[in-house]
Amino acid sequence: MVLKVWMSHGDQLDRAPDGFKVIGCTQTSPFAAIINEEKYLFGIQFHPEVTHTPRGKDILKNFVASVCECQTNWTMESFIDKEIGRIRQIVGPNGQVVGAVSGGVDSTVAAKLMKEAIGDRFHAVLVDNGVMRLNECQTVKKQLGDHLGINLKVVDASDKFLDRLKGVTDPEKKRKIIGNTFIEVFESEAAKIDLENKESGHGNIEYLLQGTLYPDVIESISFKGPSATIKTHHNVGGLTKNMKLKLIEPLRELFKDEVRELGKILSIDEDLIWRHPFPGPGIAIRILGEVTPSQVAIVRAADHIFIEEIKKAGLYRKISQAYAALLPVKAVGVMGDKRTYEQVIALRAVETTDFMTADWFPFPYDVLKRISNRIINEVKGVNRVVYDVSSKPPATIEWE
């Protein structure tokens, strides 16, 4: 029997452990699957959890249900009930929670879940960090505040973020700076809310809600052994050690497709559920090099055109994530009768369900041509557009 699996590593066993026999192999991995029949133990050296292993879910289901004899009675509805109960127990009858929201599906679902649990004792905060998408704050305020009834405050801290990012080019430093500054801003807002609550006789802010997902945790922290930290997500590795607020992360053990299923059950609008992810560090990690207001303006404009054309072509729901990145190089071009020496935009669009692995999206050529022409003609400072055709792994979805 031939089974297609995903094996994205170079390490392998040089022999099977005592008592085990081989039940699966490849040309380069002679011990890809092993079994100890006497002790009923199994070992595999591939990734059944990712979409690139087509029958991976069948493998996991068989192991959990048939081998381990676990009951398969878990549902997303039961998850909601359990999490709401857990939140209420942690926060208590008078506790107050401040929440980081971005308008993405993760923070939106987390915010809706928190509202269901404690109502207006949840205070959602959207921080304008100066590296948001075009008109992002206005859009999010309308969607979360007006449509979902979430108690939302928009805080403009763009100058603070951009000042601290001056001269910084290392992507990990960007993420740390943004993560630390986020917490600082949230704690400042929590203190203001505490002052208001004190005057009205309500409890203090003790907790911070975040929409952290399981892939964020995997890529940010090496739990055991030699596995590396791939990149620091601002909401995991970017947290300050002396943070005063205690974290509540109800989605921490879920993948993106599970979060979307949860959003449907919570009656969140489909436009929000299927909105492409936007990283916490925002455009800062889509500018390869120093983050400046002029560079942010270029990426914002290019990204807006890219997403607009994707939607016009009816491709938005077919793509899992798409964005424009600004490369730290310049290229020679010609516009009219003049030589130009301008910057380069890289377009990235991927297909995935779990965001642990991803394939680049095969755009129709006419769509790519239209996008490229618009960006070069409409975005000042750009004279060349390239398309990223890298899978994850070995590449990550974001460039930084």
Side-chain angles (χ1 to χ4, degrees), residues 45-118:
Q45 196 167 20
F46 59 87
H47 294 277
E49 77 281 7
V50 301
T51 53
H52 285 73
T53 298
R55 297 196 62 190
K57 288 185 178 180
D58 294 335
I59 294 170
L60 292 173
K61 183 178 180 180
N62 183 63
F63 179 74
V64 170
S66 301
V67 176
C68 299
E69 297 182 344
C70 293
Q71 296 295 313
T72 56
N73 53 9
W74 186 92
T75 64
M76 193 56 77
E77 286 83 0
S78 66
F79 172 84
I80 293 173
D81 294 337
K82 180 182 176 182
E83 276 305 307
I84 287 177
R86 188 179 74 88
I87 290 168
R88 288 172 177 169
Q89 184 177 18
I90 291 172
V91 176
N94 300 309
Q96 307 275 322
V97 178
V98 66
V101 299
S102 66
V105 62
D106 307 334
S107 64
T108 298
V109 171
K112 178 67 172 175
L113 195 62
M114 184 60 69
K115 176 179 169 54
E116 294 293 317
I118 64 172

Side-chain angles (χ1 to χ4, degrees), residues 104-258:
V105 62
D106 307 334
S107 64
T108 298
V109 171
K112 178 67 172 175
L113 195 62
M114 184 60 69
K115 176 179 169 54
E116 294 293 317
I118 64 172
D120 284 342
R121 288 187 288 128
F122 169 54
H123 307 267
V125 177
L126 171 64
V127 175
D128 183 353
N129 57 13
V131 286
M132 306 287 277
R133 286 174 291 202
L134 189 66
N135 301 324
E136 183 77 357
C137 291
Q138 300 94 312
T139 301
V140 173
K141 190 174 190 303
K142 184 176 182 180
Q143 289 173 329
L144 270 66
D146 298 349
H147 294 171
L148 295 180
I150 291 172
N151 182 14
L152 174 65
K153 180 179 182 181
V154 179
V155 179
D156 185 357
S158 54
D159 290 342
K160 179 178 289 188
F161 280 88
L162 291 172
D163 283 345
R164 293 181 181 182
L165 288 168
K166 281 181 180 177
V168 179
T169 59
D170 180 81
E172 279 298 284
K173 287 183 179 178
K174 289 181 187 177
R175 289 174 178 274
K176 294 280 187 182
I177 289 169
I178 292 169
N180 292 346
T181 307
F182 260 119
I183 297 303
E184 181 183 315
V185 172
F186 285 132
E187 289 186 337
S188 174
E189 289 307 309
K192 293 176 185 176
I193 296 169
D194 281 344
L195 186 61
E196 296 170 0
N197 287 339
K198 186 176 181 180
E199 295 173 356
S200 60
H202 295 117
N204 289 338
I205 298 284
E206 293 184 59
Y207 297 95
L208 169 64
L209 172 73
Q210 289 200 145
T212 307
L213 302 192
Y214 193 50
D216 299 339
V217 179
I218 293 172
E219 292 189 337
S220 296
I221 300 171
S222 177
F223 289 102
K224 295 180 181 179
S227 59
T229 297
I230 298 170
K231 58 185 176 181
T232 302
H233 289 260
H234 81 285
N235 55 348
V236 182
L239 303 178
T240 56
K241 293 181 180 179
N242 60 347
M243 187 177 73
K244 298 174 185 176
L245 298 173
K246 291 172 278 189
L247 288 178
I248 296 182
E249 299 173 309
L251 313 180
R252 190 180 175 90
E253 296 180 356
L254 300 183
F255 288 90
K256 184 74 70 176
D257 55 328
E258 295 175 311

